[in-house]
Every structure is written in C-alpha cells, then in structure tokens.
Amino acid sequence: MITLFNIWHYLVIFMLLPVLVGGVFLAFKDENSKYRIEIIVSFFLVFLFLSGIGIYAVDKNTKVAKLYRLENKRNLNTEKIMFSGVVRNEGNYEIGEVVLEIKIENTTSNATNIDRGSYFVPSGFLYSFLGFGSKDDKPSRMEEKFTVAENLKPGETKDFIVYINYPPHFQGFASSSVIYAH
C-alpha cells in the first residue's frame, strides 16, 4: 500500500524539484554536449534519491502510532497464540497502514533469562538451497507481520486480534513486538 502523503511530503518534493529542472536546463544549455542523456539521467537519479530520503524522514516524524494493552493468550484447542491490543494514531496526520511485527522465541519452562546465542534460526544460502543441516533442525525464533489498521485518522484508535500458529517443537515462548506506521 502506498503511504498517504501529507503537506510535508509535497513540500519536500517541491523543494527538490528545482534540482531536477536545473539539471535538465544545464543539459540542454550546452548544445554540443554528447553527454546530454547521461546528465539528465544523473540529475533524475539524484532527485529520486533525495526525494526518497526526504519522504522517509517525513514519514518517521509525522506518522506516529502507539500500541496499547498488547496481550497474548495460547489457545490449546487450535494450537495458536492470540495477540490482541489497541493501536492509536498519536500524530497529527492520517496513517495509511499500521503494521505489527511479532517475534516469538522458544523458551524452556525453567529458563529465566533468554540466552540469545543458543537459538537456531535456519537461514542462508547453504541451508536453503544446498540442504546443509539436518531435517530435524527447527527454528527457535519466528516472526510474522500483520496489518492491524488502515487509514487511521489523527487520534483514532483501533482494536485488533491476530493469530500465530504455535510451533509444536516449542516448550514455551517469549514474545516481542514492534509497530510501523506507513
């Protein structure tokens, strides 16, 4: 989904537009230039790069979503973990999409402190394509992303419920969450 633009996004683009127009003007000013296309493409790429950075910075500073009352419950009948909570737009501008990223890690019943170095996450070229590793290797971390709200107006809240399949090889779980506003 494309992020919703506000006045600050358009201001960034209109402030950078003279860079592109000036570059095209310089390219056509020299009539004998054999590098005209290269100059225009270069200025266009610079414009795209600076616009991308500017739009990202505006998104980070104007679209603020907060997560409240995040709870998790394990349903033994369906072997799923239910995460429920409330997301609120704390900024002054509309948010196009709010994404919740949930990470769960395998824990043992007697573990009080998670030793992050002892967990295995199957990844990489050799594991995926060449079959290195055992078929019994099971990931000890999982992460999933969910869209929990769309078109959230300033000050508006939205309740959500998402489900993650509980891996059968987990002995217990610890979870962490991050929220992104686009």
Side-chain angles (χ1 to χ4, degrees), residues 40-63:
I40 293 171
V41 169
S42 297
F43 274 99
F44 184 71
L45 291 175
V46 167
F47 171 76
L48 285 179
F49 179 73
L50 292 176
S51 296
I53 289 174
I55 288 171
Y56 177 78
V58 168
D59 266 356
K60 282 294 186 188
N61 291 311
T62 61
K63 297 182 179 182

Side-chain angles (χ1 to χ4, degrees), residues 91-105:
N92 295 326
Y93 300 97
E94 187 174 355
I95 297 175
E97 181 179 50
V98 179
V99 176
L100 175 67
E101 179 181 80
I102 297 176
K103 297 178 185 177
I104 58 172
E105 295 183 358

Side-chain angles (χ1 to χ4, degrees), residues 67 70 99-103 176-180:
L67 188 60
L70 182 65
V99 176
L100 175 67
E101 179 181 80
I102 297 176
K103 297 178 185 177
S176 64
S177 61
V178 178
I179 197 159
Y180 302 104

Side-chain angles (χ1 to χ4, degrees), residues 67-72 83-87 157-160:
L67 188 60
Y68 295 100
R69 297 191 313 251
L70 182 65
E71 299 175 353
N72 63 57
F83 289 88
S84 62
V86 177
V87 66
T157 61
K158 176 143 185 184
D159 297 335
F160 66 88

